[in-house]
Amino acid sequence: MNQWKIISQKSILKGKFFEVKEQEVLLPDKSKHKYEIVERRSTVNIFPLTDKYDLYLISQYRHLFKKRMLEAVAGHIERNETSLTAAKRELKEEVGMSGSQWEEIARIQTAASVIKHTAHLFIARDLEEGEPNPDTGEDIMLVKLSLEEAVEKVMTGEIDLAPTMIGILLLNKLRSDEKL
């Protein structure tokens, strides 16, 4: 096994959602190397799905990209909160929905070299609509489309956020395998 040994580690920057750390590591060949990592808090991505395989996504303005993006309902898991509790909270806050049937369909790592981040992907079913209560600055519009339309938007690049893409393609595969 090719394992690195951490000699020292210090926090360089700590924010609400992430921490940047600098490590000095001993490589298997006994050389030393400085390595920077970003540890991001885990997130949830929710795919509300109807019995007719209509999917609810959101169109949200993303300042980082200076545009609206079509994506799954998502958010960070708070400290001392389970991924399922976070998923239910985020769905209610962002779009005012609740679901009585939940299933975690995947846990994915969104990067493997510098950023450590786990995203939990959930299906929510038996949906009930309500009033959203988004966080300050969130500009969210609910978008309903068929699973087939969502897959097409992934294939054309209109949907390009990795957890959303993976969730949609996984839902489509589960449906084609009659496991959904």
Side-chain angles (χ1 to χ4, degrees), residues 5-9 22-26 32-35:
K5 181 180 178 189
I6 298 172
I7 299 169
S8 65
Q9 176 173 279
E22 180 182 81
Q23 296 178 336
E24 184 177 14
V25 296
L26 182 64
K32 292 181 181 178
H33 177 69
K34 284 211 185 289
Y35 190 64

Side-chain angles (χ1 to χ4, degrees), residues 18-33:
F18 67 92
E19 183 174 4
V20 180
K21 296 179 180 177
E22 180 182 81
Q23 296 178 336
E24 184 177 14
V25 296
L26 182 64
L27 300 178
D29 68 2
K30 305 298 181 204
S31 65
K32 292 181 181 178
H33 177 69

Side-chain angles (χ1 to χ4, degrees), residues 148-179:
E148 292 81 12
E149 290 171 312
V151 169
E152 183 60 28
K153 289 181 184 302
V154 168
M155 300 311 289
T156 62
E158 186 177 341
I159 295 175
D160 62 356
L161 291 172
T164 301
M165 295 170 70
I166 292 166
I168 289 168
L169 296 176
L170 185 54
L171 287 173
N172 192 50
K173 175 67 173 150
L174 290 169
R175 182 181 181 191
S176 70
D177 290 350
E178 298 180 0
K179 295 180 180 176

Side-chain angles (χ1 to χ4, degrees), residues 5-6 15 37 39 71 77 98 100 107 114 119 126 142-143 149 151-152 159 171:
K5 181 180 178 189
I6 298 172
I37 60 171
E39 291 182 351
E71 59 189 278
I77 300 172
S98 58
S100 61
R107 287 184 189 181
V114 177
D126 294 330
L142 190 61
V143 177
E149 290 171 312
V151 169
E152 183 60 28
I159 295 175
L171 287 173

Side-chain angles (χ1 to χ4, degrees), residues 138-153:
E138 287 184 323
D139 178 7
I140 297 172
M141 293 186 310
L142 190 61
V143 177
K144 182 180 180 181
L145 61 164
S146 70
L147 183 54
E148 292 81 12
E149 290 171 312
V151 169
E152 183 60 28
K153 289 181 184 302

